[in-house]
Structures are given as C-alpha cells and as structure tokens.
Amino acid sequence: MAGHGGPVRALAVSPDGDELLSGSFDTSAIHWSLRTDSAEQVLRYHADGVNAVVLLTDRRMITAGADARIAIWTAGRPQPDRVLEGHAAPIVALAVSPDRSLLASASWDRTVRLWSLSDGTSRVLEGHSQNVNGVAFTPDGRLVSVGYDLALRIWHLPDGQPETVTLPAPLNAVAVAPDGEIVTAAVDGRLRMLSREGKVSGEVAASPTPVVALAMSADGTLIAAAGIGGTVAVIDRKARSLLRTLVGPGLPVWSVAFLPDRETLLTGGADGKIRRWNARTGDPIGSILAGLPPDPLAAYAGDHGADVFRACVACHTLSEKEVQRAGPTLAGLYGRRIASLPGYRFSDALKSMDIVWTPETVAKLFEIGPNAYTPGTRMPEQRIGSAEDRRALTDFLGRVTSR
C-alpha cells in the first residue's frame, strides 16, 4: 500500500483485522481498508511527524506526533474531536489500557502521561532521566515504560509507584504478551524478555543494528522486531529463537504490526510503503518490490563509509537536489553550525548548542550517541562502537557532502 510521502513510523490494526491506521514522518495519518487495500481517509492535523497511532473499537482513532500533541478522531470526520496537550517534546509511543479507559503516552520530555479517554484529564508519571521511547499495558492493568536511560519501569496503578529494572543498553520499544511476559528492544539489536515481576528470563539477538519497533502476534507466540538496517526478525517467543529474517528492499523498517490471524505481518518502510508478509514462512504477500525507488547509495557500492551511512539514509540526503526526508540534508555539512540549516525545523534544544560539524564532532556524536551529545534531538539513538567505522563514515561524508 502506497500513500505516504515519507517513512511509515507507526501502524495499528483494528481487532477484526479489517482496518489499518498508519502514521508517517510526512505529518499525516491514513485510515486504510485492509479488505480493499485502499485509503479511506487521510488525517491531517499534526505540525510534525506522526509517531504513534491507535485504533479503538468504537470507530475512534488516536494519533500522536513530534509536535507533542495527541489527536482523537472519529472515522469520517475531517478534524479531531479532541486534542490532548501537556507534553513538552515529541510523543513517540501510545498504549491503551485493557479496560479501554486510559491512554498512556511516552515522550522525549522524559515523562509518561496517563489520559482519561472519557474526559481528557491526565496525570504525569515521572522518573525516567532520558527520553521515554515505549509504553505498554500488562493484562492486569500495570504500565510498562522504557527509555534511553536503560530503565524499564513497571508502574503500579493507580498509585503510580514504579519498580525499576536497569538493562544493558538504551531501550527503543516494549511489548507485553498475553501471559504477562515483557519484551524489550534495544539499540544493541537484542530483545530481552522479563517476567511479570521484572526479572530477566531470556534474550535473543534480533539485528546487527538498533531495533526500533516491536509487534507481537495476538496469541503471543511470535515477535516481529524491525531493525533500522532494513530487516525484520521473526522470533519464537517461547523457544527464544530466531525463526527467520524478512528482507525487503534494503531500506530501514520503522513500524510493524500483526493481523489478528497471527501470521500476517505488516511493515512500514522508509520508502513510505506498507507491505504484507507471511511471518511463519517469510514469504512476501503481493508484489513487495513493485515501484521501489532507486537505491540512493548505489553509486557508492563497495565504499565502507557508505555501508556505515546506510542506517542514516532513511532520514538524511547527501545532496540538496534530493527530496527532503525526515531529517535535514547533509549537503555542506562540515563547517556548518548545528541547527543552522535554513528551512528545517530544529528543536529549541539544538539551537542553543555551540557545535560546529566537523569529522571530529560527527565521530563524537556516534561514539557516545545523539541523546548524550545533543540532548533534546529528535534523532533516533544510535552509536557506532568501532573507531574504524566512525572514521569511514566521517571520511565518506567529507567526500560526498562537499560536492
């Protein structure tokens, strides 16, 4: 399914499997019919990328964006019924409580908010020391949140007291199985499984690159883990084993969602397309390669620096002649002050920083991670552990962005 003009950042499937809601870096959400694979409605409200979406059972839809707003819609209406405001930074994940009374939102303002879906009132859950990237409810109504601070917090509601588990790597996403087991995804490409009480009970290597999205089949048997490197790992949760790896067009996969049949998987790609897969066989459903855009790095085949840069190509172009992606172009990067490129909306936090981009500052960015080097950035957390790889990347950028 093609309709978005930018990477598909979020997917949500209706309980009956007939409808899909997608959110994109292009600032829109699309309500799809999965019976006909056609767009029913394009939702335009947000001033920045739509990072999280929810489909409720009463024809309502929820979208949340990098503009720190949550919009609640009724299908078919052109404007939101209600807008929820309170976060001070991008909202990147949403979850609805088992009784459908509460909405949880995770934000890069380091907080989680709980919203009443009946009257819109909210409360703030504080404790994370860095960006909060994921939220999920447990079957018994507790809330789990994860963030770049390595912390997984299990919040006991309604008192709001958390139990905190510290894990080895910054966390990008979380999902909870029907039996209450918690699954997290980290920037080291690994999934970690925890008991209801927060005890680590297993882990699986899912990707050589950061895992940025998780989905679980309705029966909890399969996990889909999307990597920024362009693959999706399908994992047998009980066996703690990698069943197969889905390989698409080689572009980052930003979102995943299972249909209720427990085996059909949807993926949202950096090329703006939504694809279907049989998760149990690994086979694509339909023409998965139809209409692919040309590889923007094809001219640099065999260049190690280009291979390292491939994880960045979802958001950044190397030339001003290319259509702008979610992030600013890197054309003329070296010598440019941070957050000074005309025509791009940078976060206020970046505008106050005294950084000039050079091979040394770019290397430092990926050595310690964007969240530590440029706190307040919208850039996904990613580190390059190898000094040789960092040098290959900075040399490559020096050669191709100064043209």
Side-chain angles (χ1 to χ4, degrees):
M1 291 180 284
H4 282 295
V8 181
R9 178 65 176 81
L11 296 171
V13 177
S14 63
D16 61 9
D18 288 343
E19 300 172 83
L20 171 70
L21 186 62
S22 59
S24 172
F25 287 174
D26 68 4
T27 75
S28 76
I30 299 179
H31 182 205
W32 303 84
S33 167
L34 288 177
R35 291 182 175 181
T36 61
D37 288 352
S38 61
E40 298 282 322
Q41 183 181 4
V42 178
L43 309 178
R44 299 191 184 279
Y45 167 76
H46 293 280
D48 212 328
V50 178
N51 292 327
V53 295
V54 170
L55 268 173
L56 299 176
T57 56
D58 57 1
R59 292 190 55 77
R60 287 190 298 167
M61 303 173 288
I62 305 177
T63 60
D67 59 2
R69 295 187 178 99
I70 299 170
I72 301 177
W73 309 73
T74 295
R77 295 181 183 173
Q79 294 298 320
D81 301 329
R82 172 179 286 164
V83 175
L84 306 177
E85 297 185 85
H87 281 298
I91 300 166
V92 293
L94 297 172
V96 177
S97 62
D99 65 3
R100 298 294 183 182
S101 67
L102 295 175
L103 176 72
S105 54
S107 172
W108 285 4
D109 64 9
R110 306 182 179 186
T111 71
V112 175
R113 281 184 177 256
L114 284 174
W115 309 83
S116 167
L117 284 174
S118 62
D119 61 15
T121 57
S122 70
R123 57 184 291 206
V124 182
L125 302 180
E126 297 180 297
H128 282 281
S129 61
Q130 295 186 36
N131 297 354
V132 187
N133 291 322
V135 282
F137 280 95
T138 64
D140 60 5
R142 293 175 299 159
L143 181 67
V144 183
S145 61
V146 298
Y148 282 159
D149 56 1
L150 316 183
L152 179 147
R153 289 177 171 256
I154 304 173
W155 304 86
H156 295 268
L157 306 177
D159 63 9
Q161 295 302 309
E163 297 170 10
T164 302
V165 181
T166 301
L167 294 172
L171 303 171
N172 280 332
V174 63
V176 179
D179 62 9
E181 184 172 70
I182 301 165
V183 181
T184 68
V187 302
D188 62 2
R190 304 186 78 85
L191 305 189
R192 292 174 175 87
M193 291 76 169
L194 298 89
S195 68
R196 301 181 189 189
E197 295 74 31
K199 303 294 184 183
V200 177
S201 57
E203 68 175 65
V204 178
S207 170
T209 59
V211 176
V212 293
L214 280 181
M216 192 175 299
S217 61
D219 59 1
T221 60
L222 298 181
I223 303 167
I228 201 168
T231 60
V232 178
V234 179
I235 292 159
D236 183 321
R237 181 174 67 90
K238 292 291 188 181
R240 312 290 202 235
S241 64
L242 177 66
L243 292 179
R244 61 192 51 83
T245 300
L246 311 181
V247 180
L251 300 172
V253 178
W254 287 103
S255 51
V256 283
F258 278 97
L259 266 61
D261 64 9
R262 305 175 183 179
E263 64 178 32
T264 304
L265 182 69
L266 301 178
T267 61
D271 59 359
K273 292 182 172 60
I274 300 166
R275 294 176 168 84
R276 293 184 192 233
W277 305 78
N278 184 314
R280 296 190 181 276
T281 66
D283 296 327
I285 300 172
S287 181
I288 193 165
L289 298 179
L292 286 181
D295 180 357
L297 297 179
Y300 308 106
D303 188 314
H304 181 48
D307 291 339
V308 178
F309 179 75
R310 188 166 291 280
C312 311
V313 77
C315 296
H316 300 283
T317 66
L318 297 169
S319 166
E320 292 176 332
K321 297 179 182 178
E322 298 177 71
V323 176
Q324 182 176 301
R325 302 189 182 116
T329 181
L330 302 184
L333 177 67
Y334 289 159
R336 188 166 75 210
R337 186 177 183 276
I338 190 172
S340 64
L341 184 71
Y344 185 83
R345 286 185 58 192
F346 292 94
S347 64
D348 291 338
L350 296 191
K351 294 176 184 177
S352 64
M353 294 179 185
D354 187 21
I355 295 174
V356 174
W357 293 120
T358 65
E360 292 74 24
T361 55
V362 170
K364 191 68 173 179
L365 173 74
F366 288 107
E367 179 183 1
I368 67 175
N371 193 58
Y373 193 57
T374 53
T377 181
R378 301 188 186 110
M379 183 177 178
E381 182 70 1
Q382 185 168 207
R383 300 174 190 170
I384 301 173
S386 164
E388 179 183 348
D389 287 351
R390 293 195 298 271
R391 185 163 49 252
L393 174 65
T394 57
D395 289 350
F396 171 73
L397 291 176
R399 283 185 278 115
V400 303
T401 64
S402 60
R403 295 175 181 173

